[in-house]
Amino acid sequence: MKKVLIPTKLPGVAKKILEGKGYKVIQDSEMPLAELVKKESDGEALIVRSEKVTAAIIDALPKLKAVVRAGAGYDNIDIKYARSKKIDVMNTPGANANGVAEEAVGMMLAAARFFIPGDQTTRAGQWEKSKYTGTELAGKTIGVVGLGNIGRLVCKRLAGFEVKLLGYDPFISADKAREMNVEMVSLEDIFKRSHYVTLHLPGGQDTKGMVDEKLLMLMPEGATLINCARAGIINEEDLRKVKPLKKLKFCNDVYTEDKAGEKSIKDIADIMLPHLGASTVESNINAAQRAAEELIDLWEKGITRYVVNSSIPEGLDEKYQEL
């Protein structure tokens, strides 16, 4: 009987699906991961969310064959070390996409209409109606940087607001963009022309510090920057410098660490949330279900579509790797 460890708060649907297939499932979100893997060292699969799957965690599970990240990003998993141990790492792209997309749109509305300070001051007995005269989304230009599952849904959700949509994504064709009523432009044009810029890119070295002083200085005065993607994409010092000059607004939901404590952007963020993008009932259920189904498909059907650390392209015989 294969044993699956779920060291995270995940809806019971994952456990139910896996047990229905005859797998033994240990789900414990209270015990620290290091202790759980030591106790259940014969685990053959891990389903995680934000828990860090390091080389030490992998070494503590000598029978480990698969790690599933119930979500899109997987930078909390040492995928290279996992591959060196012939362990497949998978994610569940799209499972949380709608939750993040709706959050991005919600941040636009909250920033435009002063929902948060308006609530706070009214509760305090003040009446600052004239101070919080907002702006409408209708007729504005919105730039979407990254048109993956989340970025495409952002465009879809914004369709009813009668906005002009600009997109940047080197992997999306112009034909596909036209189907979404998105004009594909350069990254510089996105920042130069958009009243709102929303980021939906993966983290990592390729995007680290990508949003810098040069791009920020291109933004129209009073524009809004939204980051529901990954911490590190924005150069914080550059934003700190440019924000007052251009009177920008900044909404943020991502941090270097998902835990309590001082956040480096608290002095420059107009809205900051505790990484709530995927924190919806629906997203959690979708991610849990997808994680369980992908693991079953991998083990029982050999389907590797969602493996993110494959050593060879899908469908290629491994013996040709040397060639």
Side-chain angles (χ1 to χ4, degrees):
M1 181 186 296
K2 292 184 182 294
K3 180 186 281 191
V4 181
L5 307 182
I6 307 179
T8 190
K9 290 182 179 179
L10 206 64
V13 62
K15 188 173 189 288
K16 183 177 179 180
I17 290 172
L18 291 165
E19 288 180 338
K21 283 288 185 176
Y23 302 150
K24 183 176 182 179
V25 180
I26 306 296
Q27 183 164 2
D28 189 337
S29 61
E30 299 300 322
M31 185 179 293
L33 180 55
E35 292 182 24
L36 181 64
V37 298
K38 184 178 181 180
K39 180 182 177 183
E40 307 289 346
S41 60
D42 57 342
E44 295 170 74
L46 276 173
I47 297 179
V48 299
R49 299 219 61 182
S50 300
E51 294 75 20
K52 292 188 180 297
V53 182
T54 62
I57 295 295
I58 291 170
D59 285 341
L61 295 168
K63 293 186 177 181
L64 188 64
K65 297 298 180 187
V67 179
V68 187
R69 163 72 164 97
Y74 46 86
D75 47 359
N76 56 312
I77 303 169
D78 191 334
I79 61 173
K80 290 184 179 179
Y81 190 74
R83 175 45 53 202
S84 74
K85 296 288 185 176
K86 297 185 178 180
I87 296 166
D88 292 318
V89 177
M90 299 185 290
N91 65 344
T92 60
N96 303 331
N98 189 64
V100 180
E102 289 188 1
E103 181 192 44
V105 176
M107 280 185 160
M108 292 177 197
L109 291 168
R113 301 305 301 272
F114 300 101
F115 285 169
I116 294 176
D119 174 84
Q120 292 171 337
T121 55
T122 305
R123 286 178 186 275
Q126 301 171 45
W127 193 256
E128 301 191 338
K129 185 174 180 178
S130 59
K131 180 179 178 179
Y132 296 133
T133 300
T135 57
E136 300 175 12
L137 289 190
K140 300 301 188 295
T141 298
I142 298 180
V144 182
V145 183
L147 291 169
N149 291 308
I150 297 171
R152 288 197 294 270
L153 276 173
V154 168
C155 295
K156 188 175 182 179
R157 299 291 172 258
L158 286 169
F161 284 93
E162 299 178 359
V163 297
K164 168 70 176 176
L165 290 169
L166 304 180
Y168 172 79
D169 192 315
F171 302 105
I172 297 293
S173 69
D175 289 341
K176 182 66 176 177
R178 276 192 291 270
E179 291 177 13
M180 300 185 290
N181 293 316
V182 175
E183 178 187 350
M184 297 298 282
V185 298
S186 68
L187 193 58
E188 289 75 13
D189 275 347
I190 286 268
F191 280 80
K192 186 176 182 179
R193 295 169 56 186
S194 300
H195 299 98
Y196 298 84
V197 174
T198 180
L199 306 176
H200 301 288
L201 298 163
Q205 289 303 312
D206 290 342
T207 58
K208 186 176 181 180
M210 186 180 79
V211 179
D212 57 11
E213 182 178 358
K214 179 181 176 182
L215 286 176
L216 293 167
M217 284 299 295
L218 294 174
M219 297 185 80
E221 186 171 302
T224 299
L225 177 65
I226 299 164
N227 188 10
C228 296
R230 283 289 182 268
I233 293 175
I234 299 171
N235 184 310
E236 291 180 12
E237 286 305 315
D238 286 358
L239 178 57
R240 192 167 279 109
K241 183 191 305 181
V242 175
K243 189 174 186 281
L245 299 176
K246 305 289 286 190
K247 298 179 181 177
L248 304 178
K249 291 182 180 179
F250 174 47
C251 305
N252 185 75
D253 186 43
V254 287
Y255 309 89
T256 54
E257 290 186 300
D258 277 5
K259 65 180 185 180
E262 291 291 310
K263 303 302 178 191
S264 60
I265 52 93
K266 71 176 184 177
D267 62 313
I268 49 174
D270 296 274
I271 297 175
M272 52 189 296
L273 301 176
H275 205 171
L276 295 181
S279 291
T280 67
V281 171
E282 296 85 353
S283 288
N284 287 333
I285 291 173
N286 289 341
Q289 181 175 330
R290 284 274 304 277
E293 291 172 346
E294 287 179 19
L295 188 57
I296 291 167
D297 284 345
L298 177 70
W299 277 347
E300 299 187 5
K301 302 176 184 177
I303 296 174
T304 59
R305 178 182 177 186
Y306 296 105
V307 173
V308 297
N309 68 334
S310 179
S311 59
I312 57 172
E314 186 176 359
L316 182 66
D317 192 313
E318 194 162 2
K319 66 186 178 183
Y320 290 111
Q321 188 174 6
E322 185 178 343
L323 176 62

